[in-house]
Amino acid sequence: MMYGRLLSATTSAAAALFSLVAVAGSTVSFTDDETALILAHGPWPVETAPDPSNRVSGDPAAITFGKMLFHSNDLAIDRRRSCATCHQIEKGLGDGIPRGIGIAAVDRNTMPLFNMRLNRWYGWDGKSDTLWGQSIAPILDKRELGLTPAALKSRITESPELNRGYGQVFGAAAATHDPETVLVNTAKALAAFQEILVSGKSAFDRFRDALATDETEGITTYPASAKRGLRIFLGRGRCDLCHFGPNFTNGEFHDIGLQPFLTTGRVDMGRYGGIKLLRASRYNLLGPFNDDPDRRTAGFTRHVRLTPKNLGEFRVPSLRNVSETAPYMHDGSKATLEAVVRHYSKIPEEHLRQDSEKLLRPLNLTDAEITDLVAFLKTL
Amino acid sequence: MKTPTTIFAADTAFTPLRLAGQGSGTHAAEGSGCGPSPSRAETGFVSSSSDERTQKMYRGAPDLIVSVPDKIAIEKLFSIKVSACVGKDSEAPRCIRVYAGMPMHGHGTNYKPSERKPGPGHSAFNGMLFCMPGNWNLTFDREDGGKRQQLTRKVKIGR
């Protein structure tokens, strides 16, 4: 599926270490340690297996049906929007505005839908532990699509196309299933489609692969400014402590010192609220709709810990395709990548709680360093 | 004479963990709480004989012996097995707890391991996770009656 940068079906060659990567055409070179860190951000794409909690994950018929559902206005109570309204291809599978607007405004920035199979938590607060569980939320949320399970069943039954697609994937007409089963099956087909939205190789990946194979042209064509930014990312910026690995995220939750209020008097609870919602949900991996009888992927859900520290924590987003997914942060408060970097450069201490990440401290970057770090981010 | 009776993992990510508290007089004794560990097939943990390097790593008899997997991948759940060493006339500790934390960053792990007790003085903790590369502390609490002993081991986790 060609969304954003091209999808690639194969992984690159195995990584190798080099004594020193001298970068011709620029003054930037990387030490052994830096090279090892760079190589750890690939290869890309990462091979994934079907989701065992979703019996139609990877099923071509489910992917086709899921795509149909994703673009169908029948999933909205007012028939004036679909999933694709807020997850637009030309806007990095987001919507380009600070906070999403469905039937009504929502509280957070719309997350892009690239590389979803690599996540273990979904949404800014991780209230879902599966992509299909996350896909249920906007269908039911009155601010987004606003259907009830019964209304969804009616919509699918009434639509010849959707009814046919449902029957082909799930072996029976929607009319024969109870509304909750139709809801979960719909979400699982939507997940099967979203799983194939994989970002393709980026300029960084080509540079990283060139390092792995000591291919001079690929190393030299990567811009010098991006190389300097990469060095800051790995070194002084310590960005890769959270944004590491091929998907540039540790998949966990942190408080990065943003202002906590949604509106005056309303605080976004972040991960604290997310864990509570996760535990209360029937649609988590410990619930009755997990298709894997062995619950092989339920370990994180079983062991996740709820503490006051989770207040104000939000998921570390992947940085892949980040230049295409503005505005940034869970509240959409940073319009540009430069604004994001400046936040970390002059992080407001008054926004850091005593139990916040101690690694967060103002980086005090120069304008030139900010430019370099942004140049690097744009190559992801 | 100290008798190492429990086995530990030896790998590149972890040094073998034999944790002894200051002035501890407890003694690893055959048939006590520090009896032979279950085999790898039984526990999923790696077993290896103590080697010279290990022998040099502790002073005095160990209080806790910890078995860890061969390799701990960042972002992957793993398990730890802990065995308490007790003297012939002592009882196994009432309670053993384990915590993981990054002192440099001021946070712990986001996951709470579940505990299984194969026998007195033995605990297996499932659901541990290191979510970030860097220096971690694995801290073990051993509680015997009114006495609480805390033992910490530094662990470096790579990417």
Side-chain angles (χ1 to χ4, degrees):
Chain A
M1 181 61 61
M2 296 170 62
Y3 280 87
R5 297 185 179 103
L6 286 175
L7 164 67
S8 172
T10 58
T11 55
S12 64
L17 289 175
F18 298 90
S19 57
L20 180 70
V21 180
V23 182
S26 78
T27 58
V28 184
S29 60
F30 294 101
T31 65
D32 279 357
D33 286 348
E34 287 172 331
T35 301
L37 294 177
I38 294 167
L39 295 180
H41 286 281
W44 187 264
V46 175
E47 289 187 17
T48 58
D51 176 0
S53 75
N54 178 1
R55 66 192 182 285
V56 301
S57 172
D59 175 0
I63 293 168
T64 301
F65 180 49
K67 183 178 180 181
M68 189 188 308
L69 289 164
F70 192 85
H71 293 88
S72 172
N73 285 3
D74 284 333
L75 265 61
I77 187 76
D78 61 359
R79 285 198 163 98
R80 295 177 61 185
R81 66 201 77 245
S82 68
C83 306
T85 305
C86 292
H87 297 284
Q88 303 169 34
I89 300 164
E90 63 273 18
K91 293 178 180 173
L93 286 166
D95 53 14
I97 55 178
R99 300 184 190 186
I101 300 176
I103 291 169
V106 300
D107 290 332
R108 296 178 185 146
N109 180 252
T110 301
M111 296 195 90
L113 298 181
F114 289 111
N115 311 317
M116 301 296 276
R117 186 70 190 92
L118 299 179
N119 294 349
R120 62 171 169 270
W121 301 114
Y122 295 84
W124 283 107
D125 59 5
K127 69 176 182 293
S128 301
D129 53 7
T130 62
L131 184 50
W132 58 265
Q134 176 67 17
S135 300
I136 287 173
I139 297 173
L140 301 182
D141 192 323
K142 290 179 180 174
R143 301 166 301 173
E144 297 187 57
L145 299 175
L147 285 181
T148 62
L152 174 67
K153 177 178 174 177
S154 296
R155 292 289 178 88
I156 290 178
T157 306
E158 291 163 6
S159 162
E161 283 187 343
L162 295 180
N163 200 37
R164 189 181 317 114
Y166 186 98
Q168 287 171 346
V169 175
F170 297 105
T176 66
H177 288 160
D178 66 83
E180 189 177 42
T181 299
V182 173
L183 172 68
V184 173
N185 284 345
T186 298
K188 287 181 175 175
L190 280 166
F193 167 63
Q194 293 167 80
E195 285 170 359
I196 69 167
L197 307 179
V198 178
S199 60
K201 274 191 185 295
S202 65
F204 167 80
D205 294 317
R206 290 188 287 277
F207 169 67
R208 182 255 169 219
D209 292 349
L211 278 183
T213 55
D214 201 17
E215 190 260 302
T216 305
E217 187 180 345
I219 294 172
T220 55
T221 53
Y222 192 60
S225 178
K227 286 172 187 155
R228 291 192 297 268
L230 171 56
R231 170 164 289 151
I232 295 169
F233 185 86
L234 301 172
R236 207 173 116 215
R238 301 190 292 179
C239 312
D240 77 329
L241 289 177
C242 293
H243 294 282
F244 65 76
N247 201 27
F248 286 84
T249 175
N250 67 353
E252 287 296 320
F253 302 81
H254 299 279
D255 175 4
I256 57 164
L258 295 168
Q259 65 86 18
F261 296 104
L262 290 164
T263 55
T264 304
R266 286 183 66 220
V267 172
D268 192 331
M269 305 286 270
R271 182 58 170 155
Y272 189 84
I275 294 175
K276 285 190 161 186
L277 290 170
L278 170 80
R279 288 178 173 172
S281 174
R282 278 170 57 76
Y283 309 117
N284 67 31
L285 285 167
L286 302 175
F289 296 100
N290 184 344
D291 292 331
D292 176 12
D294 297 327
R295 304 279 195 265
R296 282 168 290 170
T297 55
F300 290 100
T301 307
R302 192 174 289 118
H303 293 289
V304 69
R305 183 199 302 261
L306 179 67
T307 70
K309 185 182 85 64
N310 299 128
L311 273 167
E313 290 183 337
F314 294 90
R315 188 155 65 86
V316 177
S318 168
L319 297 180
R320 287 203 168 266
N321 276 344
V322 70
S323 63
E324 300 175 33
T325 61
Y328 303 101
M329 307 300 197
H330 72 276
D331 56 2
S333 59
K334 307 299 177 194
T336 63
L337 283 174
E338 181 180 326
V340 172
V341 173
R342 287 192 183 279
H343 168 76
Y344 288 107
S345 185
K346 299 287 183 189
I347 196 160
E349 290 183 5
E350 66 271 22
H351 287 178
L352 293 176
R353 301 194 320 250
Q354 196 167 10
D355 58 352
S356 294
E357 287 286 344
K358 286 183 183 172
L359 69 86
L360 283 178
R361 47 162 173 66
L363 297 175
N364 294 316
L365 301 172
T366 65
D367 285 349
E369 289 170 329
I370 290 170
T371 299
D372 288 341
L373 194 45
V374 170
F376 163 67
L377 293 171
K378 286 182 175 177
T379 69
L380 298 177
Chain B
M1 176 183 168
K2 301 180 180 88
T3 310
T5 56
T6 307
I7 42 188
F8 7 79
D11 62 70
T12 53
F14 269 67
T15 51
L17 303 181
R18 275 178 162 270
L19 303 175
Q22 292 275 335
S24 168
T26 51
H27 188 91
E30 195 70 52
S32 71
C34 234
S37 290
S39 69
R40 178 184 182 132
E42 291 169 322
T43 65
F45 291 112
V46 172
S47 301
S48 67
S49 301
S50 62
D51 55 21
E52 187 178 357
R53 181 178 172 214
T54 301
Q55 297 289 356
K56 289 178 180 173
M57 285 188 58
Y58 71 97
R59 295 172 186 164
D63 294 299
L64 295 175
I65 293 181
V66 180
S67 296
V68 297
D70 248 352
K71 291 185 178 177
I72 297 177
I74 195 164
E75 286 195 87
K76 302 290 183 189
L77 294 172
F78 66 95
S79 303
I80 287 180
K81 181 177 175 293
V82 183
S83 295
C85 303
V86 295
K88 284 181 178 173
D89 299 326
S90 305
E91 291 184 359
R94 189 173 62 85
C95 182
I96 301 173
R97 301 184 194 90
V98 59
Y99 314 92
M102 295 192 92
M104 183 182 162
H105 301 167
H107 67 67
T109 177
N110 296 327
Y111 299 89
K112 182 180 180 181
S114 57
E115 183 184 8
R116 184 175 57 85
K117 292 187 173 182
H122 294 269
S123 291
F125 296 94
N126 299 313
M128 305 284 298
L129 182 94
F130 295 128
C131 62
M132 195 179 277
N135 294 316
W136 288 79
N137 277 355
L138 266 180
T139 301
F140 300 87
D141 271 357
R142 169 185 169 144
E143 204 170 299
D144 300 88
K147 181 185 168 193
R148 184 179 172 191
Q149 188 179 26
Q150 194 167 72
L151 305 164
T152 298
R153 186 75 183 198
K154 293 178 180 174
V155 180
K156 184 165 186 176
I157 298 295
R159 286 161 177 77

